[in-house]
Amino acid sequence: MMSTQLQCFKINRLCLRIALVICVVISGSLAILISRVTEAMAQETGETAGRWQITPSVSLYEQFTDNVDLNYEKPVSALITEFSPGVMFELPSPRRQLRINTNLKLDNRNRSDGNVETLYWYNFWGYLGRQYSPRTTYELNLGYDIYYTEVDVSSPFVNVFGSLTRSDVFYIQPGLSYDVTKTTNVKLGVRYGFSTYADEGGVGGEDMEGSLYITQKVGSRIILASGYIYRDISYDNETGYTEGEVPINVRLDLTYLQLNLRATYVTRDYQSRAGDPDNPLGSQNFLFYGVGFDLGGQLLKLRSTTVEVNYETKLYDDLYGFPYENQELRLSIYHAFKKFDIFSDLRYGLNDYVGSSDKMTYWGAAAGLKYYISDKAYLGFNVDFTSYDYQLDETNGYDLLTGSIEYNHRIYDWLSGGLGYGHREGKSDVEEGNYAENSLSLFARATW
């Protein structure tokens, strides 16, 4: 038994080394490529190239959990070690912005059942923006992510304790911005991205998008924005859709009240990408809207208080590519005292599937308190409760309660650390949904 565990540990350690080398090579290659492109542009335009500013960081997170799988029947404890190195590159210039950020998280889990699990996450993000002229600016966003997601779920997410699978997501997004006048801006953009899953439970695919946005300032307090977006989405299961979207946004600055009005008209055509010729979705038209209030300033003597009220409707796709409409009403309150901050959140929502009668309603409440022991240390308390009601072939309920206590201390300007306790508990009509987890954690982060 010990020999098998040792061999498994050696294999996992080798995989970690290989993953680290691959991530470093990818980050270095992309950084060198972007650097050479910017140097060539600087030479072409006669600009003085700035010096690279490099900010490395590293985090270490040690956690003990008494139920790593959130198992209702036979909980398995585990000692989890997370090591997260990262580095950010920035090249300043009067007319150019270049930022490259790359992070790697290695997760090793020594379980009480004798198994050793090794997971890894990787993120690369790059941004290049250049002011070609006083009116014209172009930019480029580039991203690549490797992470784990839960895929063993059924619509709309009844089984929330599924297996993990690795996901790969890539996107590239260039854009061009032009100031027609001092108060009018036009922005053109395109985007290409794809996602893949290592497990058959998740449906990957690719997406292409073209967009046009027009922003108009009216005086100093009103901003109007509208445009047109075209998307072409295809999934690995031979489904997908084409979509046209017209967003309209009005933002009003009324000194003590910030008002945001949103409306979006969407036309989707599922017929061109339907794997099933009897696809019931066909062509669909949607109208989504939202309204948001942000109260603050000195209104009603709320000098240190922010009150936000938002109601919004949006269209999402689940992990299997099935579309559903989300409606949510949220009330958030934040108040800053001299020695502590308080946050509270109330929300109510509905997920309504487009192609079926499946629905999910939910409501929740959250509260948080941050108490400042000194200018270098604080205690944090958080609690969140959410109740889900699934209206499928039969009604199922699921309640989730989470809470945490955290102590954080900034030892030096470049080093901080702390410890914490967390609790998570689920209650459900389905037997698998009844579980509890307690965890203790110790963490440190250094940034140079």
Side-chain angles (χ1 to χ4, degrees):
M1 182 69 176
M2 290 297 295
S3 176
T4 303
Q5 294 182 21
L6 181 60
Q7 183 179 6
C8 181
F9 178 76
K10 289 181 178 179
I11 294 175
N12 287 328
R13 186 171 61 180
L14 177 61
C15 292
L16 285 177
R17 290 178 177 176
I18 294 174
L20 181 59
V21 170
I22 292 175
C23 292
V24 171
V25 170
I26 293 175
S27 301
S29 300
L30 291 173
I32 292 172
L33 176 61
I34 295 178
S35 176
R36 289 180 176 176
V37 171
T38 55
E39 289 177 0
M41 290 189 304
Q43 293 176 2
E44 182 181 349
T45 58
E47 291 187 41
T48 302
R51 291 185 177 182
W52 281 100
Q53 296 179 359
I54 302 176
T55 306
S57 63
V58 62
S59 300
L60 180 63
Y61 182 79
E62 196 77 24
Q63 181 189 66
F64 174 80
T65 171
D66 61 2
N67 191 358
V68 65
D69 296 326
L70 303 182
N71 194 294
Y72 74 101
E73 190 175 19
K74 295 180 179 180
V76 175
S77 61
L79 182 64
I80 303 175
T81 300
E82 293 184 1
F83 177 69
S84 304
V87 61
M88 183 179 68
F89 302 90
E90 186 172 5
L91 185 63
S93 175
R95 295 173 56 186
R96 196 172 63 243
Q97 292 183 353
L98 176 60
R99 297 186 184 94
I100 300 173
N101 192 21
T102 180
N103 294 277
L104 173 67
K105 182 169 77 171
L106 306 175
D107 186 314
N108 190 73
R109 305 182 177 188
N110 291 279
R111 301 158 52 99
S112 60
D113 59 4
N115 296 323
V116 178
E117 295 178 338
T118 301
L119 310 175
Y120 67 91
W121 288 256
Y122 175 70
N123 169 263
F124 173 87
W125 176 79
Y127 172 81
L128 170 64
R130 181 172 180 273
Q131 186 180 11
Y132 182 76
S133 70
R135 288 188 173 187
T136 306
T137 302
Y138 62 82
E139 62 182 17
L140 174 66
N141 284 278
L142 182 69
Y144 179 63
D145 296 289
I146 301 175
Y147 62 96
Y148 284 82
T149 186
E150 192 175 51
V151 296
D152 187 14
V153 294
S154 59
S155 60
F157 312 118
V158 175
N159 302 320
V160 294
F161 320 101
S163 59
L164 293 175
T165 183
R166 195 183 78 244
S167 305
D168 295 77
V169 178
F170 168 83
Y171 72 90
I172 181 171
Q173 186 172 354
L176 177 65
S177 176
Y178 180 72
D179 292 329
V180 181
T181 66
K182 292 183 178 180
T183 59
T184 305
N185 175 265
V186 176
K187 186 173 182 179
L188 295 170
V190 295
R191 185 184 188 277
Y192 170 77
F194 69 82
S195 59
T196 60
Y197 291 87
D199 190 279
E200 294 181 357
V203 179
E206 63 179 11
D207 61 275
M208 291 176 287
E209 176 182 302
S211 60
L212 167 66
Y213 292 96
I214 301 176
T215 303
Q216 176 68 51
K217 295 181 180 180
V218 181
S220 60
R221 296 180 177 270
I222 302 176
I223 298 178
L224 307 175
S226 185
Y228 180 76
I229 305 170
Y230 177 81
R231 296 187 181 94
D232 191 336
I233 310 293
S234 60
Y235 294 110
D236 294 340
N237 60 357
E238 298 182 355
T239 62
Y241 57 87
T242 57
E243 176 182 272
E245 178 179 322
V246 179
I248 300 174
N249 193 5
V250 180
R251 285 175 288 178
L252 304 175
D253 182 0
L254 306 178
T255 306
Y256 303 125
L257 171 65
Q258 309 293 328
L259 177 61
N260 194 1
L261 303 175
R262 300 173 296 275
T264 304
Y265 180 75
V266 179
T267 300
R268 277 192 175 185
D269 181 11
Y270 295 92
Q271 294 176 333
S272 61
R273 290 292 177 84
D276 182 1
D278 298 326
N279 176 32
L281 293 176
S283 297
Q284 300 280 337
N285 296 323
F286 308 93
L287 178 62
F288 303 103
Y289 53 91
V291 57
F293 299 91
D294 184 354
L295 299 175
Q298 299 178 359
L299 181 65
L300 302 178
K301 298 183 179 180
L302 301 178
R303 298 188 178 184
S304 301
T305 302
T306 299
V307 179
E308 294 183 1
V309 180
N310 282 284
Y311 174 76
E312 194 164 15
T313 63
K314 290 184 178 180
L315 189 65
Y316 295 95
D317 295 329
D318 65 16
L319 289 175
Y320 300 107
F322 297 120
Y324 65 92
E325 180 183 356
N326 170 258
Q327 304 177 37
E328 184 177 87
L329 175 65
R330 180 182 293 265
L331 169 65
S332 301
I333 301 176
Y334 173 83
H335 186 88
F337 292 92
K338 185 176 181 180
K339 293 288 293 184
F340 58 90
D341 300 337
I342 293 179
F343 170 80
S344 61
D345 181 275
L346 297 174
R347 56 194 180 274
Y348 177 81
L350 166 67
N351 290 345
D352 190 358
Y353 271 72
V354 175
S356 67
S357 59
D358 294 347
K359 294 182 179 181
M360 181 186 74
T361 58
Y362 62 91
W363 67 271
L369 170 66
K370 182 181 287 188
Y371 175 74
Y372 296 94
I373 302 173
S374 67
D375 59 347
K376 293 185 177 182
Y378 69 84
L379 277 172
F381 304 87
N382 294 280
V383 62
D384 190 300
F385 175 81
T386 307
S387 180
Y388 302 91
D389 183 19
Y390 303 96
Q391 302 173 24
L392 303 174
D393 297 333
E394 57 183 20
T395 302
N396 292 315
Y398 173 61
D399 298 333
L400 178 62
L401 173 67
T402 61
S404 65
I405 303 175
E406 177 184 312
Y407 171 75
N408 192 295
H409 187 88
R410 181 165 53 87
I411 305 171
Y412 301 105
D413 291 339
W414 57 273
L415 178 63
S416 62
L419 51 90
Y421 166 77
H423 177 77
R424 179 163 43 174
E425 183 175 338
K427 299 293 183 181
S428 175
D429 299 335
V430 181
E431 186 177 8
E432 293 83 355
N434 297 284
Y435 70 94
E437 179 199 27
N438 296 284
S439 61
L440 295 172
S441 58
L442 179 67
F443 51 89
R445 178 174 176 82
T447 304
W448 293 271

